[in-house]
Every structure is written in C-alpha cells, then in structure tokens.
Amino acid sequence: NTLTLQPDGKILIGGNFTTYNGTAIDRIARLNTDGSLDNSFDPGTGANGLVRTLTLQTDGKILIGGDFTSYNGTTIHRIARLTTDGSLDTFFSPGSGASGSINSILQQSDGKIIIGGDFTFYNGTAINRIARINLDGSLDTSFNPGIGANGSIRAITLQPDGKIIIAGFFTNYNGIVSNRIARLNMDG
C-alpha cells in the first residue's frame, strides 16, 4: 500500500503482506537497493493489521499508520513510530490512538505530524478524520478542524506557505461544501 525511499537508497514498504521473498515479515519491511530484504531492519512480529501509510522523519525514524492495533506484541492503535532498526519507539505515546484507520501521515517542517483517515477520536478526544499530533504522540490542541470532514481523508500534502491540502471521500469540511478536496489554514 505504501513505500518511501530513504536517503541511503533503501526502500521502506508497508501493506498487508506477511512474507517477503519467502521470509516471514508482517506488513512492514525495508529493502536493500537491489530489492533484497534488509535483515538489519527487524520489526519482530510487526503490525497485526494493514499498514496503509508511512513516512520517514528527518531523524530517520519511521511513522506508520493503518488498521493495526499492535506492533511487535505491544498494543498501539493505528499509529506508531519506529526506530531506524524497525523496533517500536516507546517515546512516542499516542495513548489510545486513533479510533479508525489512518490513511495518510505527513510531518510538517516544525516536526508536528498531521494524520488523516477514518477516525472520529484520537486518544479519547473527538476529532473527525484529521488531527495534528506532537512529536511525543499527544494531540496538538492548537490545531482545530471544527467538525472536520464528513468522510474519509485519504491524502494530505503541504503547500510551501504551510497550508494543508486534503483529499478523500468527503463532501463537507467543517460545515462548508468541499467535494473531495479542500485547502486548510495551518491551524486546521
């Protein structure tokens, strides 16, 4: 479902696979430049559900989102941060996480993370399908999408001026007709 290229040319992949080239590996892997499995990346038992999106942070850590509720045996709901070796970064603590799928993750230049998907709560706080979270995984309450999107958000990107463009299966954003695409101010 998702992939990204690391600066060293290695490729991170995520999806619903449970093997890669005959090797058991659950839903996330890193490949060498020749396509072979990078055995220095060890996610253990990996994600227990679909990895829909991933992004590489500037420090080399990896943010993943999807439908999973655990990573390598640790309960974590639909969002996690991994260290460069594939292990779970325990500094990142999203609490109860997202109540539904995370389809898109984007890191802003200030380090804050924007997530979009099918969720209506993040760590117990009502927030419809888009949220911004801090580097430690907590909800950034300065980002206020109002009533948010009335349908799934599938893609997020940033303009050079910091405004946020979202796309998906929504027809309304915060009470305003927005057929499947909208531009948001930096505060949501």
Side-chain angles (χ1 to χ4, degrees):
N1 286 343
T2 185
L3 57 89
T4 194
L5 187 63
Q6 293 187 169
D8 63 1
K10 292 185 179 186
I11 306 157
L12 289 163
I13 60 171
N16 204 28
F17 55 89
T18 55
T19 63
Y20 184 82
N21 197 24
T23 301
I25 192 157
D26 285 329
R27 299 175 183 91
I28 187 160
R30 185 167 61 203
L31 311 180
N32 294 308
T33 57
D34 65 359
S36 64
L37 190 62
D38 178 0
N39 292 316
S40 68
F41 185 83
D42 184 8
T45 58
N48 71 339
L50 178 64
V51 174
R52 291 180 178 273
T53 183
L54 61 84
T55 193
L56 190 63
Q57 293 184 295
T58 55
D59 62 1
K61 291 183 179 178
I62 305 147
L63 290 164
I64 63 171
D67 298 330
F68 55 89
T69 56
S70 74
Y71 184 85
N72 196 21
T74 299
T75 299
I76 192 153
H77 293 278
R78 299 174 189 88
I79 187 168
R81 185 169 60 205
L82 314 180
T83 64
T84 57
D85 67 1
S87 62
L88 190 63
D89 179 358
T90 56
F91 174 75
F92 186 81
S93 180
S96 60
S99 62
S101 297
I102 294 178
N103 301 321
S104 188
I105 296 178
L106 177 80
Q107 188 172 28
Q108 295 178 273
S109 60
D110 63 1
K112 293 189 179 188
I113 303 153
I114 301 173
I115 58 174
D118 297 307
F119 55 90
T120 54
F121 285 87
Y122 184 83
N123 194 22
T125 300
I127 193 154
N128 285 325
R129 299 176 186 88
I130 188 166
R132 186 168 60 201
I133 55 179
N134 297 307
L135 279 174
D136 64 358
S138 64
L139 186 65
D140 176 3
T141 57
S142 70
F143 185 83
N144 183 3
I147 59 173
N150 70 343
S152 179
I153 294 175
R154 296 297 176 134
I156 305 169
T157 194
L158 287 177
Q159 290 185 236
D161 64 1
K163 289 188 178 180
I164 304 156
I165 299 176
I166 60 173
F169 300 116
F170 56 89
T171 56
N172 189 294
Y173 182 84
N174 196 25
I176 299 169
V177 173
S178 302
N179 287 318
R180 296 172 184 80
I181 189 166
R183 183 173 63 187
L184 316 180
N185 290 314
M186 292 181 285
D187 63 359

